[in-house]
Amino acid sequence: MSIPFIDLKAQYQHLKADIDARIHAVLDHGQYIMGPEVAELERELAAYVGVKHCVGVADGTTALLIALMALGIQAGDEVITTPFTFIATGEMIALLGAKPVFVDIDPGSYNLDPARIEAAITPRTRAIMPVSLYGQCADFDAINAIAARHGLPVIEDGAQSFGASYQGRKSGALSTIGCTSFFPSKPLGCYGDGGACFTDDDALAKKMREIRVHGQDRRYHHPVIGLNGRLDTLQAAVLLAKLPSFPAEVAARERIGARYSALLADVVRVPRLAEGCSSVHAQYTIEVDERDAVAATLKELGVPTAVHYPIPLHLQPAFAHLGQGVGSFPLAEAAGQRVLSLPMHPFLDEATQDAVVAAVRKALD
Ligand SMILES: Cc1ncc(COP(=O)(O)O)c(C=O)c1O
């Protein structure tokens, strides 16, 4: 038995005609940099998310960097975020010379715990950057209320949550700026690197568009420092081909996630969805005792798994200078030792899912 963790080939077979046609259209017109597909995709994505502006960028990491730069984050500033995330979240704050100020998670959702944010705010705090981990949005109503009280902008790291809804609104539309990634394995993935920033703020959108092209407002005129952070035309073309079936894929992810939960809830801790929240299950992540042993047994049984993420950011060597050792964020640390992600993609059929479930049950015996 060989089960893929994510099946991009099945999706390509399903959408081959449209993807090939879109790629060939780019090869025919030859506008590889900022070709018409980029603007077309931005219009479509802004409409899907329900915001005024979408700015297509090189990848999810660059989306975070451009959002932070547009908000003027600089050396000496503090940005509140979660330690239980992929490195990029804290990394982009640090890359600008700012300090990531970690706040522990709500163990129910694995996202930044709003109840702990206010205690971390100082006169140097300039932004709050929650992550919508595994595909479920952070508690933005609570986070935005705190941010508003303190006059702070909020950036959503929605790299894993594109397509998720929160109280009737979509990930990306929940804060000052929403960022996402189109890394191939993400819920909406391209065939290389890609990402986007979303906002309703005209001035921020203009700034992000300029920062994306070396801080340029007109040809060879650069009012601000930027970078090369553009989205490739070919990647935009792939995303345009995938977008029409994305809502059905989101529905499949929700259905498959719910089925996993129904079949596993009696033996492991399954994902908990907060009231009014959906998850796109970028990862379908359970919690088990003896996680590494369970993962090893599952590997022997032919079931691939992954750990998102074993080491919280405050314990990464790159953040050792912050001086936050073991015990600083106990909930993030505990989650890092217990979480285990199972095969998850919209083309996972019931027979394969049943085999995964049977293997998990066997591994726990
Ligand atoms: C939470 C989170 N933030 C940021 C990123 C960075 O996205 P990318 O790989 O597109 O740069 C990722 C994905 O890899 C992620 O999972």
Side-chain angles (χ1 to χ4, degrees), residues 1 39 91 106 135 143 151 160 193 257 310:
M1 167 166 84
E91 184 185 34
D106 165 359
I143 293 168
Q160 302 184 8
D193 279 307

PDB file of all heavy atoms in Angstrom, residues 1 39 91 106 135 143 151 160 193 257 310:
ATOM      1  N   MET A   1       0.854  -1.195   0.000  1.00  0.00           N
ATOM      2  CA  MET A   1       0.000   0.000   0.000  1.00  0.00           C
ATOM      3  C   MET A   1       0.890   1.246   0.000  1.00  0.00           C
ATOM      4  O   MET A   1       1.796   1.367   0.816  1.00  0.00           O
ATOM      5  CB  MET A   1      -0.864  -0.055   1.277  1.00  0.00           C
ATOM      6  CG  MET A   1      -1.567   1.229   1.611  1.00  0.00           C
ATOM      7  SD  MET A   1      -2.871   0.983   2.851  1.00  0.00           S
ATOM      8  CE  MET A   1      -1.983   1.033   4.396  1.00  0.00           C
ATOM      9  N   ALA A  39      -2.950  40.379 -13.223  1.00  0.00           N
ATOM     10  CA  ALA A  39      -4.049  41.299 -12.892  1.00  0.00           C
ATOM     11  C   ALA A  39      -5.394  40.565 -12.902  1.00  0.00           C
ATOM     12  O   ALA A  39      -6.260  40.816 -12.049  1.00  0.00           O
ATOM     13  CB  ALA A  39      -4.074  42.467 -13.874  1.00  0.00           C
ATOM     14  N   GLU A  91      10.218  34.851  11.273  1.00  0.00           N
ATOM     15  CA  GLU A  91      11.419  35.168  10.495  1.00  0.00           C
ATOM     16  C   GLU A  91      11.313  36.518   9.778  1.00  0.00           C
ATOM     17  O   GLU A  91      12.269  37.298   9.747  1.00  0.00           O
ATOM     18  CB  GLU A  91      11.596  34.044   9.460  1.00  0.00           C
ATOM     19  CG  GLU A  91      12.829  34.109   8.616  1.00  0.00           C
ATOM     20  CD  GLU A  91      12.798  33.001   7.549  1.00  0.00           C
ATOM     21  OE1 GLU A  91      11.706  32.652   7.043  1.00  0.00           O
ATOM     22  OE2 GLU A  91      13.872  32.497   7.230  1.00  0.00           O
ATOM     23  N   ASP A 106      -4.028  29.145  22.060  1.00  0.00           N
ATOM     24  CA  ASP A 106      -5.234  28.524  22.585  1.00  0.00           C
ATOM     25  C   ASP A 106      -5.127  27.052  22.169  1.00  0.00           C
ATOM     26  O   ASP A 106      -5.115  26.750  20.965  1.00  0.00           O
ATOM     27  CB  ASP A 106      -6.445  29.206  21.940  1.00  0.00           C
ATOM     28  CG  ASP A 106      -7.728  28.424  22.134  1.00  0.00           C
ATOM     29  OD1 ASP A 106      -7.700  27.342  22.752  1.00  0.00           O
ATOM     30  OD2 ASP A 106      -8.758  28.900  21.632  1.00  0.00           O
ATOM     31  N   GLY A 135      -5.486  25.648   8.766  1.00  0.00           N
ATOM     32  CA  GLY A 135      -6.635  25.909   7.907  1.00  0.00           C
ATOM     33  C   GLY A 135      -7.836  26.491   8.611  1.00  0.00           C
ATOM     34  O   GLY A 135      -8.862  26.725   7.978  1.00  0.00           O
ATOM     35  N   ILE A 143      -9.255  39.418  18.457  1.00  0.00           N
ATOM     36  CA  ILE A 143      -7.937  40.030  18.192  1.00  0.00           C
ATOM     37  C   ILE A 143      -8.106  41.450  17.654  1.00  0.00           C
ATOM     38  O   ILE A 143      -7.414  42.382  18.087  1.00  0.00           O
ATOM     39  CB  ILE A 143      -7.129  39.147  17.214  1.00  0.00           C
ATOM     40  CG1 ILE A 143      -6.774  37.810  17.887  1.00  0.00           C
ATOM     41  CG2 ILE A 143      -5.852  39.860  16.752  1.00  0.00           C
ATOM     42  CD1 ILE A 143      -6.236  36.735  16.954  1.00  0.00           C
ATOM     43  N   GLY A 151      -4.864  50.803  18.822  1.00  0.00           N
ATOM     44  CA  GLY A 151      -4.486  51.453  17.561  1.00  0.00           C
ATOM     45  C   GLY A 151      -3.458  50.667  16.761  1.00  0.00           C
ATOM     46  O   GLY A 151      -2.591  51.249  16.112  1.00  0.00           O
ATOM     47  N   GLN A 160      -2.054  28.934   5.414  1.00  0.00           N
ATOM     48  CA  GLN A 160      -2.680  27.597   5.445  1.00  0.00           C
ATOM     49  C   GLN A 160      -4.206  27.666   5.367  1.00  0.00           C
ATOM     50  O   GLN A 160      -4.857  26.628   5.375  1.00  0.00           O
ATOM     51  CB  GLN A 160      -2.250  26.869   6.730  1.00  0.00           C
ATOM     52  CG  GLN A 160      -0.738  26.739   6.834  1.00  0.00           C
ATOM     53  CD  GLN A 160      -0.270  25.944   8.036  1.00  0.00           C
ATOM     54  OE1 GLN A 160      -1.070  25.343   8.760  1.00  0.00           O
ATOM     55  NE2 GLN A 160       1.028  25.926   8.265  1.00  0.00           N
ATOM     56  N   ASP A 193       6.430  28.690  -6.605  1.00  0.00           N
ATOM     57  CA  ASP A 193       6.126  29.586  -5.492  1.00  0.00           C
ATOM     58  C   ASP A 193       5.132  30.649  -5.916  1.00  0.00           C
ATOM     59  O   ASP A 193       5.154  31.132  -7.053  1.00  0.00           O
ATOM     60  CB  ASP A 193       7.421  30.269  -5.009  1.00  0.00           C
ATOM     61  CG  ASP A 193       8.239  29.363  -4.091  1.00  0.00           C
ATOM     62  OD1 ASP A 193       7.650  28.864  -3.109  1.00  0.00           O
ATOM     63  OD2 ASP A 193       9.432  29.150  -4.358  1.00  0.00           O
ATOM     64  N   GLY A 257     -12.278  16.050   6.119  1.00  0.00           N
ATOM     65  CA  GLY A 257     -11.856  16.354   7.493  1.00  0.00           C
ATOM     66  C   GLY A 257     -12.895  15.884   8.496  1.00  0.00           C
ATOM     67  O   GLY A 257     -12.569  15.246   9.513  1.00  0.00           O
ATOM     68  N   PRO A 310       7.448  20.539  15.040  1.00  0.00           N
ATOM     69  CA  PRO A 310       8.001  19.901  16.241  1.00  0.00           C
ATOM     70  C   PRO A 310       8.655  20.879  17.214  1.00  0.00           C
ATOM     71  O   PRO A 310       8.643  20.648  18.418  1.00  0.00           O
ATOM     72  CB  PRO A 310       9.038  18.924  15.676  1.00  0.00           C
ATOM     73  CG  PRO A 310       9.380  19.448  14.312  1.00  0.00           C
ATOM     74  CD  PRO A 310       8.155  20.152  13.810  1.00  0.00           C
TER      75      PRO A 310
END
